[in-house]
Amino acid sequence: MRRIVILAEGAFTLHRAKTATGVIRYSKDEILAVIDSTHMGKDVAQALEVPLGEGIPMVQDIHEALRLKPDTLMIGIAPQGGALPASWRWQLLTAIEHGLDIISGLHTFLADDDELREAAEKKGVTLWDVRRAPDQTRVAQFTPHRPGSHTVLMVGSDCSAGKMTVALELERVARQRGLDGAFLATGQTGIMISNDGLPIDHLISDFIAGMVEEKVLEMSNAHEWVFVEGQGALTHPGYSPVTLGLIHGSVPDAMIFCHLATAKTIDGYERCPMPSLSRLIQINEDAINWIRQDGQCKVVGLALMTVGLSEEEARVAIQQAEEETGLPTTDVIRFGAEKLMDALQQHFSTR
């Protein structure tokens, strides 16, 4: 159990600090505070304007956070490009000077920074660069999973569409039902939560499918259900290669599709309008069945993120999605993941 303070200076919003919010929601570690002087005096729930992190204070800087006696500082954002904001460096150096380990999901590695590495070595603290990839030599072999195991992959229409959240919520519901479920993290936040997984976006493209295959085989041999966190989207102009490697490496037995209800275009790409849900689902089913060819892997449920909508608007959006796709649909944060787990169990019971 770590005692963590999260650094998100000037960036603590649901979208920009999804690493921070994911850890706050799901980590078993104790989250003591979030550093963002623009929200000083509030708690996390007040800063985000959602019911998450009630009672966790927003503090001005690392000096104020140190009064809570943390043992770890976590960087709470993963910006495009993944560089450490220059204005944050002093806070990391102060944390290291006071003996705190540092956890980072940035693309640029703290341990490769001479100043930070030397300071950490002097104080005997750990710099954990979560995205640092393991040795990569495995090309996918298309090896069958253990008979009787169920591998479920979260796919989606965009980044930040709730794929990690849905996988974790399905794992939780599975365990509540007495099923042997496990979560496979493929992104920095999921790895921080589970202390295991693969940093997919730092793997060499030739080895993505092979590394995912190896991990899924390991987990499906040990567990009845494996819920695989998705990344990116097949229709994303920047990140589709990662998504395809994950689909072909995990060779899922079923998929859950994740989508932001209010999205009209790919985030940050206004010239990329969002296809219909039915078309998006078809694209993902086609991609896995290029190699499966048995046609058995289907999207069996739809997870909508309805943030920004009233509860009534959310229910209308869910009903519209169900009517368009014919799939059971829910928002797992607002209404739980039970409907999706029901759909998965029904899918496998009829095979």
Side-chain angles (χ1 to χ4, degrees):
M1 287 288 292
R2 303 181 182 95
R3 292 173 54 82
I4 295 175
V5 294
I6 297 175
L7 178 58
E9 176 58 34
F12 193 63
T13 66
L14 283 173
H15 182 69
R16 294 182 67 192
K18 69 174 187 176
T19 294
T21 56
V23 169
I24 290 168
R25 189 183 299 278
Y26 292 110
S27 178
K28 295 179 175 63
D29 294 314
E30 184 177 5
I31 311 303
L32 302 177
V34 174
I35 299 170
D36 184 348
S37 61
T38 66
H39 292 296
M40 186 177 57
K42 301 178 181 177
D43 70 5
V44 164
Q46 291 167 332
L48 296 175
E49 298 182 346
V50 297
L52 172 67
E54 292 92 342
I56 299 175
M58 304 294 305
V59 299
Q60 180 174 9
D61 56 24
I62 184 62
H63 294 299
E64 185 175 353
L66 286 169
R67 299 173 188 168
L68 301 172
K69 303 189 183 306
D71 57 31
T72 304
L73 176 71
M74 177 181 288
I75 294 178
I77 64 170
Q80 192 173 44
L84 174 70
S87 61
W88 290 16
R89 177 175 289 268
W90 75 269
Q91 304 222 47
L92 270 65
L93 288 167
T94 301
I96 292 169
E97 179 62 27
H98 285 80
L100 275 62
D101 295 329
I102 310 293
I103 300 176
S104 169
L106 298 175
H107 283 288
T108 55
F109 297 148
L110 301 186
D112 292 343
D113 182 295
D114 290 342
E115 183 181 27
L116 294 172
R117 184 184 65 255
E118 291 171 5
E121 289 172 351
K122 180 179 178 181
K123 298 300 294 187
V125 302
T126 298
L127 301 179
W128 181 22
D129 288 304
V130 172
R131 272 190 161 119
R132 192 179 292 277
D135 293 337
Q136 302 171 56
T137 58
R138 181 186 173 96
V139 175
Q141 303 299 308
F142 198 47
T143 304
H145 301 167
R146 178 179 62 81
S149 65
H150 309 306
T151 297
V152 182
L153 175 65
M154 313 307 130
V155 292
S157 58
D158 202 347
C159 304
S160 302
K163 295 179 284 290
M164 180 197 75
T165 298
V166 174
L168 286 165
E169 290 294 328
L170 284 170
E171 181 202 24
R172 181 183 62 79
V173 173
R175 291 185 178 277
Q176 286 177 345
R177 295 183 180 188
L179 303 173
D180 179 18
F183 166 70
L184 172 52
T186 61
Q188 74 281 351
T189 307
I191 294 171
M192 290 174 181
I193 291 165
S194 64
N195 290 307
D196 192 16
L198 288 170
I200 295 298
D201 57 9
H202 265 257
L203 300 183
I204 297 169
S205 59
D206 276 3
F207 302 128
I208 291 176
M211 298 292 285
V212 171
E213 177 186 57
E214 181 177 52
K215 195 69 175 176
V216 168
L217 287 171
E218 173 192 322
M219 295 184 73
S220 63
N221 283 333
H223 301 281
E224 181 182 4
W225 294 77
V226 180
F227 300 103
V228 183
E229 176 190 7
Q231 296 295 328
L234 287 177
T235 50
H236 194 290
Y239 303 133
S240 56
V242 172
T243 310
L244 185 60
L246 184 53
I247 290 172
H248 285 177
S250 64
V251 194
D253 303 303
M255 296 181 288
I256 299 294
F257 193 83
C258 306
H259 177 65
L260 175 63
T262 56
K264 303 300 182 185
T265 64
I266 300 292
D267 186 36
Y269 295 82
E270 293 186 0
R271 290 179 293 177
C272 289
M274 195 73 71
S276 69
L277 285 173
S278 296
R279 176 61 179 146
L280 287 165
I281 288 167
Q282 180 188 2
I283 288 169
N284 282 270
E285 290 179 342
D286 286 348
I288 181 54
N289 288 309
W290 293 340
I291 61 170
R292 278 194 63 128
Q293 298 181 0
D294 58 6
Q296 291 295 306
C297 182
K298 303 285 187 183
V299 171
V300 302
L302 178 59
L304 279 190
M305 287 177 59
T306 61
V307 61
L309 301 180
S310 68
E311 183 167 329
E312 181 179 355
E313 290 170 333
R315 293 187 184 278
V316 169
I318 287 169
Q319 181 179 353
Q320 290 173 341
E322 287 186 332
E323 291 173 354
E324 177 184 347
T325 65
L327 295 173
T329 303
T330 190
D331 180 328
V332 300
I333 295 299
R334 271 185 150 144
F335 308 120
E338 287 78 9
K339 183 186 285 190
L340 299 181
M341 195 65 210
D342 289 344
L344 286 167
Q345 289 185 282
Q346 181 178 1
H347 172 74
F348 289 114
S349 70
T350 57
R351 290 179 56 179

